[in-house]
């Protein structure tokens, strides 16, 4: 019988969580030609990358965050409690119907605002191996301690079998390190999770600068200031702006109108963006997990403009890269045309770092999940025999 993996993503802004889940799902099905994966997500699936073989999705109603980080219904005209109830019940129904050997939960041990608790409790009782996936950097330690209440920590120990940390061992910024949590769970630091490298694009000139900021929900100011900077002094190479599919259409139209006389191409989405990144003279980007994973692999010179609220995750990641000499950093309060134009000149003068080969984080994670799935299958066979 084919092994089944269930992924619960954690989404509010952008497509990063879904993209990482798709990469892990692809690694799992590539490792095992019979395995199959179901991803439960609120991310706008139609805007994401193509699904790997034997991978499908269930779409939850979207949640979003307001300017101070509070959750709200993303698109439905219903209350937040009603939206949470729908999401929770759909997640439970998916768990009960799919009956996976392994379920992987992204970032929040009980889901957003505890919405996955019923599904996780059912899966635990059914013998599913539960795995928590954590990024390399969570947030400032004080904020992590507030979010991980004593109840959440207790549920982690009670329900889960293992933790995957999507970053290097010895990192002091993942959630477990921030909490100082000594756990008996199996903790695996698998390295960065990056998608399979794409080829360098053939439709672009030899030299260009890439400006990208992930999904595009909150990057309009960065893109507009980039064009402001080029109005002061054009770049000697093409500028390629990839807004992300979540940027409102009106903002995309405004950028395109301004870009035409500046030797800048504006696109909303481009497959194989890591290949575009690898071929560029430099990258201007935010400091999200997926972007930084690809920057580290390519060695491309980078100017990072991290999001600074409500989470400190991107700022912490950007500072680590600046300390290691892998990137320049410009904070949003420093983002103005003259300063950005100066930083762009510095970026073009920066030589590329030696590219770092893919360290196999996705494959290592797939190995861990396969071992847990085999253990769950063996437990099920033993229980049936008793």
């Amino acid at each position: 019988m084919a092994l089944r993996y269930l992924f619960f993503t954690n989404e509010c802004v952008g497509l990063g969580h879904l993209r990482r889940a798709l990469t892990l799902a692809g690694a799992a099905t590539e490792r095992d030609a019979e395995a199959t994966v179901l991803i439960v997500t609120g991310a706008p699936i139609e805007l994401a990358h193509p699904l790997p073989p034997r991978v499908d999705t269930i779409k939850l109603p979207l949640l979003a965050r307001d300017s101070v980080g509070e959750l709200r219904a993303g698109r439905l005209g219903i209350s937040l409690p009603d939206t949470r109830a729908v999401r929770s019940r759909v997640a439970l129904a998916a768990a009960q119907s799919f009956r996976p050997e392994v379920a992987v939960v992204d970032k929040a041990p009980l889901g957003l605002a505890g919405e996955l608790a019923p599904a996780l409790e059912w899966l635990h009782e059914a013998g599913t191996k539960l795995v928590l996936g954590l990024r390399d950097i969570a947030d400032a330690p004080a904020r992590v301690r507030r979010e991980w209440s004593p109840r959440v920590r207790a549920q982690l120990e009670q329900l889960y079998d293992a933790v995957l940390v999507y970053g290097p061992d010895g990192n002091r910024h993942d959630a477990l390190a921030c909490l100082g949590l000594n756990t008996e769970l199996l903790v695996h630091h698998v390295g960065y999770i990056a998608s399979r490298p794409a080829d360098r694009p053939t439709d672009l000139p030899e030299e260009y600068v890439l400006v990208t900021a992930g999904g595009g929900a909150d990057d309009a100011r960065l893109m507009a200031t980039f064009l402001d900077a080029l109005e002061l002094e054009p770049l000697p190479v093409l500028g390629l702006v990839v807004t992300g599919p979540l940027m409102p259409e009106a903002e995309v139209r405004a950028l395109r109108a301004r870009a035409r006389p500046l030797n800048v191409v504006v696109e909303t989405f481009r497959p194989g963006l890591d290949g575009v990144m690898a071929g560029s003279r430099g990258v201007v980007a935010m400091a999200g997990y997926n972007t930084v994973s690809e920057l580290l692999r390519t060695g491309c010179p980078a100017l990072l403009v991290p999001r600074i609220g409500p989470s400190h995750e991107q700022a912490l990641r950007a500072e680590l890269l600046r300390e290691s000499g892998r990137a320049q950093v410009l904070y949003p309060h420093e983002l103005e045309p003259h300063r950005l134009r100066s930083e762009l000149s510095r970026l073009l003068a920066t030589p590329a770092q030696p590219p770092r080969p893919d360290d196999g984080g996705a494959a290592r994670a797939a190995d861990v999940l396969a071992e847990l799935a085999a253990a769950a299958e063996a437990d099920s066979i033993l229980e049936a025999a008793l």
Side-chain angles (χ1 to χ4, degrees):
M1 184 178 70
L3 294 176
R4 302 181 186 191
Y5 299 95
L6 180 63
F7 284 77
F8 293 108
T9 75
N10 178 79
E11 83 302 317
C12 277
V13 178
L15 299 169
H17 297 280
L18 176 57
R19 184 174 178 186
R20 187 165 56 251
L22 289 170
T23 300
L24 290 169
T29 55
E30 182 176 344
R31 185 189 187 282
D32 180 353
E34 300 297 322
T36 191
V37 179
L38 179 62
I39 299 173
V40 179
T41 180
I45 299 163
E46 69 277 7
L47 303 177
H49 298 269
L51 299 180
R54 301 181 307 286
V55 177
D56 210 339
T57 58
I58 289 178
K59 173 72 172 67
L60 300 178
L62 183 67
L63 287 178
R65 292 191 187 275
D66 61 22
S67 59
V68 296
E70 294 297 322
L71 287 172
R72 59 177 175 82
R75 291 183 178 176
L76 292 179
I78 62 177
S79 69
L80 177 59
D82 285 348
T83 305
R84 284 175 171 166
V86 172
R87 287 170 58 98
S88 183
R89 289 168 186 163
V90 171
L92 175 59
Q96 292 172 331
S97 302
F98 193 58
R99 300 182 66 90
E101 280 75 29
V102 175
V104 183
V105 179
D106 192 32
K107 183 184 176 183
L110 300 179
L112 292 170
E115 67 185 6
L116 294 181
L120 297 177
E121 289 165 2
W122 187 90
L123 288 166
H124 177 69
E125 291 298 320
T128 295
K129 301 294 184 182
L130 295 181
V131 180
L132 179 65
L134 298 175
R135 287 179 296 201
D136 59 333
I137 292 173
D139 202 336
R143 185 181 174 90
V144 176
R145 287 192 290 270
R146 286 196 302 272
E147 290 182 350
W148 287 55
S149 67
R151 172 177 175 254
V152 170
R153 300 183 204 187
Q155 290 289 85
L156 174 68
E157 297 286 353
Q158 177 184 340
L159 296 176
Y160 281 85
D161 299 279
V163 177
L164 292 178
V165 180
Y166 307 133
D169 199 0
N171 177 25
R172 65 183 187 275
H173 292 293
D174 65 67
L176 297 183
C178 289
L179 292 166
L181 193 61
N182 293 318
T183 176
E184 295 183 2
L185 297 174
L186 295 173
V187 179
H188 304 268
H189 289 77
V190 297
Y192 287 100
I193 305 293
S195 57
R196 187 183 300 276
D199 295 332
R200 190 188 188 282
T202 58
D203 62 331
L204 293 174
E206 186 67 26
E207 295 193 327
Y208 56 91
V209 167
L210 171 65
V211 184
T212 180
D218 60 350
D219 59 1
R221 179 172 172 245
L222 171 59
M223 309 293 185
T225 308
F226 175 74
L227 297 181
D228 292 341
L230 268 57
E231 287 174 345
L232 295 174
E233 180 185 349
L235 285 177
V237 300
L238 174 74
L240 173 62
V241 172
V242 181
T243 65
L246 301 181
M247 181 179 283
E249 181 58 32
E251 294 178 350
V252 175
R253 287 198 301 269
L255 291 174
R256 282 186 171 140
R258 293 187 56 202
R260 291 190 187 103
L262 297 174
N263 193 28
V264 174
V265 175
V266 176
E267 299 180 356
T268 57
F269 180 75
R270 177 176 270 262
L273 193 63
D274 53 345
V276 178
M277 187 179 294
S280 69
R281 276 280 300 273
V283 175
V284 181
M286 296 172 76
Y289 177 91
N290 293 299
T291 298
V292 168
S293 296
E294 291 164 2
L295 281 171
L296 289 172
R297 184 172 62 191
T298 64
C300 182
L303 170 60
L304 299 179
V305 185
R307 183 186 299 122
I308 57 172
S311 167
H312 292 86
E313 171 211 343
Q314 288 203 9
L316 289 168
R317 189 178 289 115
E319 281 302 320
L320 288 175
L321 265 68
R322 172 152 60 183
E323 291 170 8
S324 66
R326 305 288 297 196
Q328 303 161 218
V329 177
L330 189 65
Y331 285 96
H333 69 273
E334 302 171 316
L335 186 63
E336 58 86 26
H338 288 88
R339 176 70 183 275
L340 179 56
R341 188 61 189 84
S342 175
E343 294 292 341
L344 289 170
S345 293
R346 182 180 166 199
L347 181 70
L348 289 172
T350 302
Q353 299 267 2
R356 188 194 72 183
D358 184 359
D359 64 3
R364 275 196 293 277
D367 288 342
V368 173
L369 297 181
E371 291 174 7
L372 289 166
E377 189 176 41
D379 291 346
S380 178
I381 293 172
L382 179 61
E383 183 178 340
L386 293 177

